[in-house]
Amino acid sequence: AEHGTVKKTGFIIFAGSPDGVMDEYHNPYAYNLFRLDTQGGHVTERITGHVLSGIEFPSINTSIDQITYNISSNFDPALTPDGNILFSSTQANGSRAGGKGRVMLCVDNWDGAYPRPIYGNCDDEIGGTSGKSQAKITFGDRRLVYVESPYMNWGVGQLASVSWDAPYNKTYQRLTREDGGMYRSPYPLPDDRMLVSYGERGDFGIYWFDCKNGKAGELVHNDPEWNDHQPAPIYIKYRPRWINTFTAGKNFGVTTVTYQPFDQVKVEGYPHSWATWICFDTTLTDLPVGPYPHQKAKDTKPGDVKAVRIVEGVQCVEPDANRFKAGAGSHLVGGSRSSSNSGTAYQQRRIIGYQYVEDDGSVVTSQTADTPYYIQNLDERGMAVQTALTWAYLRPYHGRICSGCHDGSYRGRAFQNQHAKALYNWWYDDR
């Protein structure tokens, strides 16, 4: 069809990296996810009732909006059956995991409003610092199948899976056997078969995966002159459920979990606006006391955490590649991973601000959106007793809710709809 004549199309989600950047592992890239609206913002208008666009390209009737904000990299996006975006996320905040970092599987809404870690982000999860990429969800048993690589920046490895509905260690399963070959590009089909790309000595071909024996089965295609990757069968696909995080209307829309008044939304405008997050109990955690960065410095109970410090992560962008020399700042805090550009492994930080924590442990605050950040819990002396090591972000006008600091239990107030002083005072404080 002629460009601009198709009335209804979907979004295109892709990963992109700006020029002149360096991630924590000395790689010259730092990917994030972008949403491309091929109808000049009107795809979003059909869903939400208003045009919400980012970078405009009027000559081709297209707009692009960045939907994730990670100092490391977010990559390999894929659509889930329920309309979410599944992707891999490198998390290497400072000395996380002994400086080795993690690659987790994550899921987010199509507008970046609600990122949720799925598997691979915690120290006790199987796979450790191995790479996790190219994840897909099977249809019948709803398994999350992905490539488990020996190194983070590898796109090949062995196939592993966890349950999509219960992504815990008890559901982890290695799907392939150590047969000397490498796999990539798993592609489950509705009839419970799965295509994979497989190669023993660098010559990759497309095969049906033999689930029973855990290896590549019947050959589908193999061009000896090329490596064959990323099979994408053509079939009638499901129509995913739209996850509408906006309420449509002339007030330009707010989310169902935002705490901002409509006049603030109208005045500040997209995209340079703020967003809101709430934690129902900063002392609710399943992490032990210990000396390592991911552990807490001491036990806390409601009333012990007096404030939170919100720290912004700034992407390291440097046109002069010589300033990226590894080890140039080895005398600084980051050690051998430091450069002359930063003393913390190519990560630059600045404090966004502080927020008071109520005596029941709850806290709520607004801050700049589209900004990577993490938080620290502070005691009565202003010392950090616990530090989040995952880069978080908020989208404009949106809200985020957490039940505690690294505790996904349904015991939390957020899931029981219990009263929290921070939320009450946010609405009814008459000072």
Side-chain angles (χ1 to χ4, degrees):
E2 184 180 350
H3 183 81
T5 61
V6 179
K7 293 183 178 180
K8 288 189 177 182
T9 61
F11 295 126
I12 297 175
I13 306 293
F14 65 94
S17 174
D19 292 332
V21 301
M22 183 73 75
D23 74 357
E24 299 90 338
Y25 303 104
H26 315 152
N27 298 312
Y29 52 77
Y31 287 93
N32 270 292
L33 301 188
F34 295 79
R35 183 188 69 245
L36 188 150
D37 187 330
T38 58
Q39 297 295 305
H42 294 289
V43 175
T44 310
E45 185 179 21
R46 292 202 322 270
I47 302 169
T48 68
H50 59 268
V51 177
L52 181 67
S53 58
I55 306 172
E56 301 287 351
F57 296 90
S59 61
I60 56 175
N61 193 32
T62 298
S63 63
I64 297 176
D65 184 25
Q66 183 173 339
I67 64 172
T68 69
Y69 291 82
N70 186 3
I71 297 297
S72 307
S73 280
N74 293 335
F75 57 98
D76 279 347
L79 184 65
T80 67
D82 59 0
N84 281 284
I85 306 301
L86 176 68
F87 59 95
S88 295
S89 179
T90 303
Q91 296 291 333
N93 188 347
S95 55
R96 179 181 181 83
K100 297 179 180 179
R102 294 274 169 174
V103 178
M104 69 172 174
L105 301 177
C106 193
V107 73
D108 204 340
N109 292 14
W110 55 267
D111 59 355
Y114 191 33
R116 289 93 74 195
I118 301 299
Y119 191 75
N121 197 37
C122 301
D123 278 0
D124 59 347
E125 288 176 324
I126 298 173
T129 58
S130 64
K132 300 174 183 65
S133 61
Q134 306 161 49
K136 302 288 191 304
I137 300 173
T138 63
F139 288 82
D141 54 1
R142 290 170 59 88
R143 302 284 298 182
L144 185 60
V145 179
Y146 58 93
V147 176
E148 191 173 75
S149 308
Y151 306 104
M152 283 191 180
N153 59 349
W154 274 33
V156 297
Q158 301 301 310
L159 298 183
S161 73
V162 294
S163 169
W164 170 246
D165 301 300
Y168 310 119
N169 280 346
K170 64 181 180 181
T171 67
Y172 172 89
Q173 182 181 3
R174 170 65 75 87
L175 301 181
T176 54
R177 299 176 180 177
E178 296 289 349
D179 57 2
M182 291 288 186
Y183 294 82
R184 65 170 301 170
S185 309
Y187 200 108
L189 274 72
D191 59 6
D192 288 337
R193 292 185 299 170
M194 185 166 67
L195 286 167
V196 295
S197 176
Y198 172 78
E200 290 187 7
R201 299 183 182 276
D203 179 22
F204 282 81
I206 306 299
Y207 295 81
W208 290 109
F209 184 66
D210 184 348
C211 299
K212 182 179 180 180
N213 296 309
K215 63 180 182 180
E218 180 184 353
L219 175 66
V220 176
H221 176 76
N222 187 9
D223 187 330
E225 302 297 326
W226 298 88
N227 285 317
D228 305 296
H229 299 300
Q230 300 178 338
I234 300 175
Y235 62 92
I236 299 177
K237 297 184 179 181
Y238 53 82
R239 182 177 181 178
R241 175 176 61 88
W242 280 114
I243 300 177
N244 186 1
T245 55
F246 286 83
T247 56
K250 62 183 180 180
N251 287 311
F252 199 65
V254 294
T255 65
T256 56
V257 294
T258 193
Y259 303 110
Q260 296 180 207
F262 279 93
D263 57 350
Q264 182 177 345
V265 173
K266 292 170 64 176
V267 169
E268 292 186 337
Y270 183 85
H272 304 292
S273 188
W274 285 38
T276 303
W277 61 266
I278 181 172
C279 180
F280 284 79
D281 190 350
T282 54
T283 66
L284 180 62
T285 180
D286 59 0
L287 294 177
V289 174
Y292 298 105
H294 68 281
Q295 298 173 331
K296 57 185 180 181
K298 61 181 179 181
D299 285 319
T300 56
K301 61 183 184 301
D304 290 344
V305 177
K306 303 299 184 182
V308 293
R309 178 189 292 125
I310 307 164
V311 184
E312 176 184 356
V314 182
Q315 185 71 65
C316 188
V317 180
E318 175 57 66
D320 182 4
N322 291 326
R323 288 176 59 84
F324 282 140
K325 183 179 179 181
S330 59
H331 61 290
L332 301 174
V333 177
S336 60
R337 288 174 57 201
S338 296
S339 72
S340 56
N341 187 275
S342 168
T344 51
Y346 299 109
Q347 295 169 347
Q348 298 171 327
R349 297 170 171 81
R350 58 190 175 199
I351 296 175
I352 295 177
Y354 296 82
Q355 184 59 267
Y356 168 79
V357 175
E358 301 287 347
D359 58 15
D360 67 346
S362 61
V363 59
V364 62
T365 191
S366 284
Q367 65 185 64
T368 53
D370 290 350
T371 301
Y373 73 94
Y374 64 93
I375 64 172
Q376 294 179 305
N377 291 341
L378 309 181
D379 62 13
E380 71 281 357
R381 298 183 300 159
M383 302 296 289
V385 296
Q386 191 169 354
T387 299
L389 292 180
T390 299
W391 292 111
Y393 55 90
L394 302 166
R395 297 309 318 276
Y397 325 132
H398 286 241
R400 292 283 299 277
I401 297 175
C402 67
S403 60
C405 291
H406 197 275
D407 192 301
S409 170
Y410 285 90
R411 296 171 299 166
R413 289 196 188 98
F415 302 104
Q416 296 181 0
N417 198 27
Q418 294 180 5
H419 173 78
K421 287 186 177 181
L423 185 56
Y424 181 88
N425 292 338
W426 185 259
W427 281 110
Y428 299 108
D429 193 340
D430 56 359
R431 288 177 292 180

